[in-house]
Amino acid sequence: MTAMAQALAEFRTHFGGEPEGVWEAPGRVNLIGEHTDYNGGLVLPIALPQRTYAAVRRRRDDLVQLASAGMPLTKPVHLADIAPGQPADWARYPAGVLWALAEAGYAVGGVDVAFASDVPVGAGLSSSAAIEGAMGAAASDLFGLGLLAGDAGRAKLAAVCQRAENHIAGAPTGGMDQAAALRSQAEHALYLDCSDGSVTHVPFRLSGPGLALLVIDTRAEHSNSAGEYGARRADCERACERLGIASLREVSAADLPTALARLGDERLVKRVRHVVTETERVRLAVQALNADDFAELGRLFIDSHASMRDDYEISCEELDVAVLAVLEAGALGARMTGGGFGGSAIGLVYAGAVAAAQECVRTAFAAKGFAEPAFIVAEAGGPGGRTRVPRGA
Ligand code: ADP
Ligand code: MG
């Protein structure tokens, strides 16, 4: 059964009758530009074909009833009762979107929602933004908010979803994931400037040059990754204070040596060096993509991984082993992607070598006694929105 059909089935089981429609939003994989979003830097994610579906029907009252295939049952919650830490379980992500919409002044009401997804959860592919985006897209259409019609509305909805994640789910993430879920274009990477929210769509088709983007879900999740994420943000804020600037984006690649000399703290030097060089690598990656220079893109992936491993210190053994294994299998480049401390890595590999690269990673993982990795060959999918449901589905 497809995830869309599963959302419909789940809806009929839990709520009876038919939903008013189905909405969807994709997971994403970031090509390059890690931990730059909350520093006002550049990022370059693609939306995935994998997505989260929401079958939704409005209610006459203000109750929010949620169900999700494969997830524990959750208690209904009144709109007015949604607050930081409430609900406490997975429902805080979609409930948070309704909260953030109401807080932004949009009139929303109670809903029955059944979710189903083929985005791996907790794999660094942003299942959280996918569920937020699907909820947000549905609310926009059903409550007549008109936020899906153009990029300006979609940018507002992405910001609402980020507020839900930050304030109700309690995850201090930047805005990349929600932008990828709602503002992407199929067959393009989303070149997002987090200093002003502006986007450019960069053609991303790997089949022409005979390449593929292999995503390796390491299945590793290290404890305290959320705490480490917060610690990195705090380091960046401290560095800004010392430099007397509002955001690390103000440090250009040319200014970097001077800025580093003024920090006088080895850890902050490493953090700032990663953030500034990473934003520069995003700029270069876009140039490489526009020039069909995939060898250069691969080199940038390799440099990016080294920077995250050595300077930002967000990699882990599973990610390093995955990256090394695909490079040994002949990949043009590879890097960890997402927040770090587990989750996924990506490799830019020849299409004919995908199976061999997977085998190389599997063997390396088995030798280390790691969990069996999972793989996705990623293509650039379209943004979230209303799902066309086939007749009779
Ligand atoms: P990632 O976004 O990388 O997958 P996160 O930790 O940010 O990982 O988000 C994962 C959390 O989001 C899950 O633990 C769950 O609470 C929620 N979530 C994501 N997808 C779903 C879904 N389809 N149904 C219910 N909850 C989901
Ligand atoms: Mg997430």
Side-chain angles (χ1 to χ4, degrees):
M1 201 184 338
T2 63
M4 187 206 66
Q6 215 177 355
L8 283 170
E10 197 82 5
F11 186 93
R12 290 165 186 146
T13 304
H14 285 278
F15 308 119
E18 291 297 310
E20 293 181 79
V22 178
W23 286 263
E24 66 188 69
R28 62 98 187 95
V29 61
N30 191 23
L31 297 177
I32 195 161
E34 226 65 73
H35 287 260
T36 47
D37 58 355
Y38 57 79
N39 285 302
L42 302 170
V43 296
L44 190 66
I46 58 169
L48 289 170
Q50 285 77 8
R51 36 204 63 216
T52 297
Y53 295 85
V56 188
R57 187 173 62 205
R58 280 168 294 175
R59 297 176 56 89
R60 291 176 198 284
D61 57 20
D62 79 336
L63 211 55
V64 176
Q65 293 206 100
L66 306 170
S68 180
M71 299 297 277
L73 286 177
T74 177
K75 285 204 206 93
V77 58
H78 288 282
L79 265 178
D81 292 337
I82 302 168
Q86 160 77 352
D89 54 7
W90 63 264
R92 62 196 200 269
Y93 292 88
V97 173
L98 297 170
W99 170 89
L101 280 170
E103 221 220 13
Y106 297 106
V108 295
V111 279
D112 291 337
V113 190
F115 296 100
S117 180
D118 53 18
V119 183
V121 172
L125 302 179
S126 203
S127 68
S128 57
I131 193 171
E132 291 155 8
M135 184 71 257
S140 174
D141 278 353
L142 286 172
F143 297 111
L145 311 181
L147 294 172
L148 297 175
D151 187 63
R154 286 172 170 271
K156 280 187 197 151
L157 188 56
V160 157
C161 290
Q162 187 195 346
R163 282 185 62 73
E165 181 142 351
N166 292 164
H167 295 277
I168 303 301
T173 51
M176 166 172 65
D177 301 352
Q178 294 79 8
L182 290 164
R183 303 176 69 191
S184 294
Q185 276 181 13
E187 301 194 324
H188 290 76
L190 184 75
Y191 182 27
L192 168 66
D193 185 334
C194 299
S195 69
D196 61 5
S198 61
V199 296
T200 310
H201 303 282
V202 183
F204 184 76
R205 276 179 235 99
L206 294 180
S207 53
L211 293 167
L213 188 73
L214 179 64
V215 179
I216 304 137
D217 174 4
T218 64
R219 299 272 173 94
E221 208 207 321
H222 292 279
S223 59
N224 201 30
S225 60
E228 293 285 353
Y229 191 100
R232 294 304 177 281
R233 282 195 77 140
D235 281 348
C236 293
E237 282 160 21
R238 201 165 305 131
C240 284
E241 271 166 36
R242 291 214 182 157
L243 297 172
I245 53 178
S247 138
L248 290 182
R249 181 60 184 281
E250 293 174 39
V251 182
S252 69
D255 295 342
L256 183 60
T258 320
L260 295 184
R262 285 178 52 207
L263 282 169
D265 174 313
E266 187 51 31
R267 194 180 75 231
L268 295 187
V269 162
K270 287 160 78 171
R271 304 299 187 248
V272 172
R273 189 163 54 205
H274 166 72
V275 171
V276 175
T277 58
E278 183 77 352
T279 271
E280 186 58 20
R281 280 186 289 272
V282 176
R283 218 189 300 278
L284 295 172
V286 169
Q287 281 175 18
L289 272 177
N290 283 330
D292 285 333
D293 187 348
F294 294 99
E296 170 69 1
L297 184 65
R299 279 191 292 273
L300 292 164
F301 278 18
I302 291 170
D303 290 350
S304 171
H305 186 76
S307 178
M308 292 185 283
R309 183 191 58 211
D310 303 334
D311 275 351
Y312 221 58
E313 298 178 280
I314 52 171
S315 190
C316 63
E317 208 190 347
E318 290 88 344
L319 287 166
D320 292 342
V321 167
V323 163
L324 214 63
V326 281
L327 288 176
E328 276 170 5
L332 293 177
R335 61 188 289 278
M336 59 151 279
T337 182
F341 306 104
S344 296
I346 52 174
L348 185 62
V349 301
Y350 291 102
V354 168
Q358 292 183 357
E359 200 42 46
C360 229
V361 176
R362 256 190 229 110
T363 307
F365 270 45
K368 288 274 184 187
F370 296 160
E372 169 105 12
F375 301 96
I376 291 177
V377 175
E379 280 161 28
R386 186 161 191 165
T387 306
R388 219 167 311 175
V389 180
R391 208 179 263 275

